[in-house]
Structures are given as C-alpha cells and as structure tokens.
Amino acid sequence: MSDDPLFPEAEAKQRALADYKAVLGTVIHPEWIVAYKDDSSHDIRTDGKVAARVKPTIESDVTRVCDTHVDPYWDLEIVEDPANLLAGYTSPWTWGNSYRIQ
C-alpha cells in the first residue's frame, strides 16, 4: 500500500490544475525532462541543470489519469541548457505533482 494520501479523483484533478496554474509561464529546473528524438520518447535526467518555462498545456494532459494516480504532464520551452543535454530533442515536457486516487 502506498503512503501517498488518497484523494477523490475530482479533488486530485483540481489540485493538479492548481499546481499547473501556479507555475504556468514561470521558469523551473526539473530533475527529469521527457523529449522526442527519432520518433521515440526519451527520459533525460537533467538534475535541475536545464531551465524550462512551463507552457500552456491542454487540460487533459494536466488532469491525466494513469492507473491509480492523476499524473499530470506540463509542456516546456527550454530557456537554458548550458550542457546541451536536450540538443536535437523536440517537444519537451515534465511531470507535475502526482495524486493517488485509488
């Protein structure tokens, strides 16, 4: 059993939307970014070394249910990537806070 608090699905979605609205347009430093190269997605560990602005993201991605959690995606615009960790990658995104619903 998970130690994560359990939320009703509607409340979890509201929380995920509130989290997203709180960072929309701001620059964050995610630990991981997912992006595409050669038609495949890749998980890229950035350790917070990449600065990315949270872009407008469709609501269904922000309130996405995956198995037992509301597990949001946030679309990103790369602002700074001094080590070129994302060179050649497209459509970057990261995860928002996940909320357990089951």
Side-chain angles (χ1 to χ4, degrees), residues 14-95:
Q14 288 175 341
R15 287 174 175 259
L17 280 168
D19 293 343
Y20 164 71
K21 289 175 183 175
V23 296
L24 177 61
T26 66
V27 174
I28 62 173
H29 292 84
E31 293 295 312
W32 290 87
I33 292 176
V34 180
Y36 292 87
K37 187 183 235 181
D38 301 325
D39 295 326
S40 296
S41 68
H42 300 267
D43 295 343
I44 302 148
R45 185 177 184 113
T46 62
D47 294 322
K49 296 174 185 167
V50 173
R53 182 171 287 108
V54 178
K55 293 176 29 175
T57 305
I58 61 172
E59 187 172 320
S60 61
D61 284 350
V62 177
T63 60
R64 180 179 79 93
V65 174
C66 184
D67 300 325
T68 60
H69 287 73
V70 170
D71 198 18
Y73 298 165
W74 298 342
D75 290 330
L76 300 174
E77 170 191 358
I78 304 305
V79 176
E80 256 184 70
D81 182 8
N84 290 318
L85 298 173
L86 294 163
Y89 288 90
T90 61
S91 304
W93 58 271
T94 196
W95 297 273

